[in-house]
Amino acid sequence: MGVEQKLGNMGVATLKLEQAVNWARTNAMWPMLFGLACCAIEMMSAQAANYDMSRFGMELMRASPRQSDLMIVAGRVSRKMAPVLRRLYDQMPDPKWVIAMGDCASCGGVFNNYAIVQGVDEIVPVDVYVAGCPPRPEALIHGILILHEKVRGEKIKDWA
Amino acid sequence: MNDYLQSVVPVLVERFGLESHEFRDQVNLLVPAPKITEVCLALRDEFKFDVLSGQTAVDYWPKQEPRFHVVYQLYSLSNNVRLGLRVPLDGNAPSLATVEGVYPNANWHEREIWDMFGIRFDGHSDLRRILMPYDWEGHPLRKDYPLGYEEVAFSFNQEEVDQRKPRPKE
């Protein structure tokens, strides 16, 4: 049944503002191009034709942080790159979410040394961690769907 | 040894007073530090070793004298021959003349050696860190530099490790 069946005679639907806003946010979440290392290849292939991310609303990836909602940190972050990452995160307008894709972004991965940040949650607050080295495109899409569920559960008093 | 090298190496050894080590097909010449620029110039101009395919350094730490060897790998395109040069250096405030004037790609190689080992190159146009952040202290690839790993979090010490991790303020 389409939405016409629910509207009754007046063409009016009632729903909570939370639901409407969260639905709008999840269905058009634009990721920022932040592929740093090998996980970027899997992110690209998740965006490409076979495992399409545009089905989930991420039609395009914006290179500019000012025009994106979601930062998928794909790859290892070195100590030299860390302030740049923080600056780009600060330049994103609210509402924004962060997915730490892969092992290096979640916990430092195989690199336990002086040069790699041990988990990007030392720098930015992360919503979803996707494990894998690299995670398959399906795993990344699963992580994105989990983020969508998390966003759908957000309450109105958390926004402000 | 390659025929071309067989003709070149004795000339070099005699002219500059170098030592030559050979292992299988590889030839390494030990060059004293003051002579490196003229050796490289001669190799590039007269003997047609026109590509510096690699420049790096080795730290033989507990041994203080020499502590570092700076290794140059030269390649001759027209003859398809490779030659290695090694410059032994001391441990405290090691410095060496730059070969940036001879091979321009030594610019980044020498910046990396400065960053990782702390070997200064006199005459370099832009000697600053290239891999680590610009204000990093220490030279990571020296043997007495700590590994810098963080404690691995298993399920039994997960909470303790988590408390000590730095977190962003928001």
Side-chain angles (χ1 to χ4, degrees):
Chain A
M1 303 199 290
V3 70
E4 312 79 54
Q5 255 91 354
K6 296 279 192 188
L7 291 181
N9 280 334
M10 298 196 302
V12 168
T14 55
L15 71 165
K16 299 202 306 202
L17 178 65
E18 269 176 11
Q19 284 178 342
V21 172
N22 288 341
W23 172 84
R25 282 179 178 173
T26 53
N27 281 31
M29 201 186 267
W30 288 355
M32 181 168 80
L33 269 183
F34 211 67
L36 295 170
C38 357
C39 275
I41 309 282
E42 296 290 336
M43 185 169 72
M44 287 182 232
S45 77
Q47 181 74 36
N50 205 353
Y51 304 96
D52 202 2
M53 278 212 296
S54 337
R55 300 180 276 169
F56 305 103
M58 312 195 167
E59 171 63 32
L60 32 71
M61 297 194 142
R62 282 300 184 195
S64 159
R66 307 265 184 210
Q67 299 168 7
S68 54
D69 319 281
L70 169 66
M71 183 159 86
I72 305 181
V73 185
R76 49 190 179 266
V77 181
S78 63
R79 295 253 169 235
K80 201 168 177 181
M81 187 67 185
V84 177
L85 178 76
R86 181 71 209 187
R87 176 178 294 199
L88 287 173
Y89 176 75
D90 290 335
Q91 283 176 344
M92 285 167 69
D94 264 342
K96 55 190 169 187
W97 299 276
V98 176
I99 289 185
M101 175 184 179
D103 286 343
C104 291
S106 312
C107 63
V110 279
F111 304 110
N112 195 358
N113 56 21
Y114 54 85
I116 300 286
V117 172
Q118 301 295 310
V120 83
D121 54 6
E122 291 188 8
I123 306 172
V124 294
V126 175
D127 296 296
V128 175
Y129 300 85
V130 183
C133 189
R136 276 191 63 95
E138 296 140 331
L140 176 63
I141 292 179
H142 179 66
I144 287 177
L145 291 178
I146 289 194
L147 178 68
H148 283 188
E149 282 172 28
K150 179 176 178 181
V151 171
R152 281 208 194 94
E154 278 184 1
K155 298 281 176 239
I156 204 168
K157 51 180 165 339
D158 299 331
W159 295 342
Chain B
M1 213 197 279
N2 196 323
D3 315 328
Y4 183 68
L5 278 180
Q6 253 168 354
S7 62
V8 162
V9 170
V11 175
L12 287 166
V13 167
E14 212 214 293
R15 202 203 289 188
F16 297 105
L18 317 171
E19 288 170 43
S20 135
H21 297 276
E22 192 189 332
F23 175 72
R24 293 193 176 185
D25 281 334
Q26 294 177 7
V27 179
N28 273 320
L29 301 176
L30 219 62
V31 181
K35 293 195 192 161
I36 185 64
T37 339
E38 52 172 311
V39 171
C40 282
L41 265 173
L43 280 169
R44 185 192 65 171
D45 295 330
E46 294 172 37
F47 299 103
K48 301 282 180 287
F49 282 91
D50 33 16
V51 178
L52 177 74
S53 65
Q55 183 183 352
T56 173
V58 188
D59 184 6
Y60 295 103
W61 171 45
K63 188 161 75 146
Q64 280 292 101
E65 180 160 338
R67 179 173 173 185
F68 297 107
H69 274 204
V70 179
V71 181
Y72 298 77
Q73 282 149 357
L74 304 174
Y75 176 63
S76 166
L77 277 170
S78 34
N79 306 88
N80 193 10
V81 192
R82 295 187 184 269
L83 180 65
L85 302 177
R86 287 182 153 241
V87 181
L89 288 177
D90 259 339
N92 45 348
S95 74
L96 187 56
T98 179
V99 291
E100 193 189 347
V102 183
Y103 298 107
N105 62 336
N107 192 339
W108 276 19
H109 288 296
E110 290 176 352
R111 273 179 71 183
E112 182 183 353
I113 295 178
W114 158 242
D115 189 7
M116 294 282 120
F117 289 96
I119 298 176
R120 284 215 147 260
F121 286 90
D122 310 316
H124 196 272
S125 56
D126 186 20
L127 197 65
R128 56 196 165 107
R129 290 184 177 271
I130 191 172
L131 294 173
M132 300 308 292
Y134 294 121
D135 50 359
W136 195 259
E137 286 178 14
H139 297 280
L141 278 180
R142 291 191 173 186
K143 290 278 197 294
D144 49 359
Y145 190 86
L147 284 179
Y149 55 85
E150 75 156 6
E151 199 181 337
V152 182
F154 297 98
S155 39
F156 61 87
N157 59 355
Q158 167 76 48
E159 282 89 26
E160 297 154 15
V161 173
D162 248 353
Q163 274 166 10
R164 276 175 273 168
K165 271 176 84 83
R167 296 261 175 227
K169 272 183 275 298
E170 61 108 300

